[in-house]
Amino acid sequence: MKFSSPNSAIENNSQGEYNKRMAKERFKITPAVYLILMKENKILLSRRYNTGFFDNHYSFPAGHLDGEETLKQAMVREAKEETGIVLDAADLELIHTLNRKIPGNERVDFFFTAEKWQGEPQIMELDKCDDLAWFELDNLPKNIIPYIKQAIDSFLNDINYSEQEGEEIIS
């Protein structure tokens, strides 16, 4: 026996309207992961090269999610691809989230750290990176991507969430 509520017609209509709205293209946001490694009061930074996006500026080992992977899985994969180090997802700690509102391309950046890893970081993608080095926190290079600098400052001040709005400048 099937029971129906007095509101069945309304509920069915509401569901139909919901389905129509969901059939439209949903808002999309680009997620990315970044690795903040510290060693002896130094931070690991990589200089972008030949990418068309902030070339000659320092960033962290990073990348976008490929789909069908968690944030931590993406971070483990990107760390291996870019630096050759091996991370255990269980050792990753999310320490900062940055919501960047860029016209036509909004992003959420997830910054992870790990206290242990296997291997010594080295440049694995010679076509995208021309320097990978440990920098003293009180002597960082001047040419750090602005939102990366914001993340570093947030990390050092125990701020776990920040936002940024505006155009990005491609150098």
Side-chain angles (χ1 to χ4, degrees):
M1 176 180 278
K2 184 176 178 185
F3 293 97
S4 63
S5 73
N7 296 325
S8 299
I10 294 170
E11 289 170 1
N12 288 338
N13 188 40
S14 295
Q15 183 65 41
E17 290 301 315
Y18 174 80
N19 289 341
K20 286 179 189 175
R21 284 195 316 269
M22 292 303 102
K24 293 181 183 177
E25 186 68 27
R26 283 185 179 239
F27 167 76
K28 293 203 180 349
I29 196 159
T30 303
V33 293
Y34 298 78
L35 183 61
I36 300 176
L37 288 184
M38 300 286 300
K39 179 173 84 171
E40 301 167 2
N41 206 38
K42 294 179 182 177
I43 196 165
L44 184 69
L45 296 173
S46 60
R47 188 170 53 206
R48 298 181 61 84
Y49 165 76
N50 199 34
T51 67
F53 183 78
F54 281 106
D55 286 338
N56 200 38
H57 285 76
Y58 283 93
S59 183
F60 294 119
H64 298 103
L65 274 69
D66 281 349
E68 308 225 358
E69 63 185 350
T70 67
L71 294 169
K72 286 185 173 186
Q73 289 168 337
M75 189 73 272
V76 167
R77 177 183 50 76
E78 288 290 349
K80 179 74 172 164
E81 288 174 4
E82 293 189 12
T83 68
I85 66 170
V86 176
L87 294 169
D88 184 333
D91 294 329
L92 289 169
E93 179 185 356
L94 178 64
I95 57 170
H96 188 70
T97 303
L98 174 60
N99 182 203
R100 291 189 289 141
K101 189 176 175 190
I102 306 161
N105 188 7
E106 295 186 37
R107 296 174 174 265
V108 177
D109 301 323
F110 300 92
F111 295 83
F112 289 92
T113 192
E115 292 185 9
K116 59 184 180 177
W117 59 88
Q118 294 176 13
E120 188 60 32
Q122 58 185 307
I123 300 172
M124 301 299 290
E125 297 178 325
L126 296 170
D127 58 328
K128 297 179 184 177
C129 176
D130 66 356
D131 187 34
L132 181 69
W134 297 96
F135 290 91
E136 296 282 345
L137 289 172
D138 59 359
N139 192 26
L140 295 173
K142 301 283 184 236
N143 55 331
I144 296 177
I145 297 173
Y147 67 87
I148 296 299
K149 181 68 169 97
Q150 179 176 333
I152 292 170
D153 292 342
S154 295
F155 163 67
L156 295 175
N157 290 294
D158 292 321
I159 299 169
N160 62 11
Y161 175 82
S162 65
E163 297 176 346
Q164 183 188 72
E165 285 192 52
E167 296 285 336
E168 289 188 334
I169 300 169
I170 298 176
S171 303

